[in-house]
Amino acid sequence: MASFKPTKIQVYPKLGEKVTQDTLYWKNYKAPVQIKEFGAVTSIDFSPVTPHNFAVTAFTRIHIYGPFSQEPVKSFTRFKDTAYCGRFRSDGQLLVAGCEDSVVRLFDVSGKVALRLFKGHTKAVHLTDFTSDRYQILTGSDDYTCRLWDIPNATELTTYTEHADYIRCGVTSKLNRDLFITGSYDHTVKLFDARVEKSVITMDHGQPVESVLLYPSEGLLVSAGGRHVKVWDLLKGGQPLVSLKNHHKTVTSLALSSNGQRLLSASLDRHVKVYNTTNYKVVHNFDYAASILSLGLAPDDASIVVGMTNSILSIKHRKNQEDSKEVAGQQRRRPSYRVFVKGKNYVPKQDDYLVSKPVKEHLAKYDKQLQRFNVSKALDTALGTYIRFRKPEITVAVIKELDRRGTLKNALAGRDERGLSQLLNFIIGNLVDARFTPVLVTAAEMILDIYQSVIGQSPVVDRQLLRLQDLVKREIEFQKDLLEVLGMLDTMFASSLPRKEVPCSGIGRSNGLTQGEPSTSKPQLQVT
């Protein structure tokens, strides 16, 4: 007796993710390290100097973490209310932060107590940053003002009152100590020059501005607010270059890769998107468990740090070559001496006979029923919930095998209302799939032949048959429209192709006669 052959499941091509250099680069991170903070993480800032520690602002504290530490190496807790926007100075020795109590505090990274307190704002301060000369501080507040402060004297230098709503973000120029940019909830981004009493460039973002970013050359500016990320050309007076709308919710933070060729945006939709700064197309996407409030990217892209609304700080470290070698070493066990002598690597000689052990095949449940000729139970097994929804190709393969055996009509017959309804649901859901149409059309025709005598007895089955009828009608109309479009395209292509003349040797072009042969046609009369 011949051995039973399991049902052959056809493998259909899948449209997988296109693997690019960006995909390989941005996926080369370890599993994230998650740290629970005391509140929502509103700001992340990396120190410009090695070892590139990063400051995390959450609730009433600012924690400084090392590159690979899971516990803070330094904490600043002398805030009376919620702290905002902890920023490092360019030498990494000082840290400035705003607060809900309107006081700006300056800390020494190696100390604990605030070195300076800057008082003058009347509401919460959400923006703080150092100027490039290291001796001044920029602040922006909910009192609609942005101010410049002198660090040595702890005095206020200038106040700007041009914004008409909360100032929530800003950045200072790293090339010119007098230039700085602020973004406000009044939908505007303004470029200020400390040598002038008012702003020099105003850009309308169109949404409350949550974050701004300067390119290293400082010729381009990026602003984020609402669902939009916009790029502006400062060298052309703030001319808009491109507007990106790839997020579903408000964009909260921006970051730039180490080489300046990739732009990252984080949003409340739990995604971080990576853009190519050449064409501003999305080249990669990160997913997180909660809405993202802050984003930080370490120098050389060594780690990605994300702060979320659920008080979780997520840190992803880049894999290095040593880690890859260790993983490869763990996966590949060192073979014993016998393996080297005569094991898996042993190459047989020409006269050797290879004796292989028979491999026992484990049949699927539907194949076991087919082996026992229980065709109805085999079809019921293939119509299981998981197989029906996740792997419909298995169900279709079983139906095709039953049809090949000539027992499909027996498997479809004798079903109650629930079983027939389940079968019709599967056919309706997959009939118009080009991969399954030839098999399911045959099954649908058999169902109509078998159960035509009981139509009208079950309202559930009747509704499904009407759905099947409407589905087939719509698909036929679509196919007709498609054929008409194909005919139009064929006509267009045929008319656009250049015509080629076929040369005929010895045949005249005018009358088709051989040269020298007299014409027998009568001359035409011309009527004047």
Side-chain angles (χ1 to χ4, degrees), residues 99-144:
C99 185
E100 188 72 28
D101 62 3
S102 74
V103 178
V104 180
R105 291 170 173 81
L106 180 68
F107 296 94
D108 185 352
V109 174
S110 59
K112 291 184 178 181
V113 183
L115 297 178
R116 296 281 191 277
L117 296 179
F118 301 93
K119 299 180 180 179
H121 287 289
T122 58
K123 291 186 179 180
V125 179
H126 286 263
L127 162 63
T128 59
D129 201 0
F130 291 94
T131 57
S132 59
D133 63 355
R134 305 180 183 179
Y135 298 118
Q136 295 178 5
I137 292 175
L138 167 68
T139 60
S141 170
D142 286 353
D143 60 7
Y144 308 167

Side-chain angles (χ1 to χ4, degrees), residues 32-45:
V33 177
Q34 295 187 346
I35 302 173
K36 181 70 174 178
E37 288 289 342
F38 290 90
V41 181
T42 56
S43 176
I44 298 170
D45 186 58

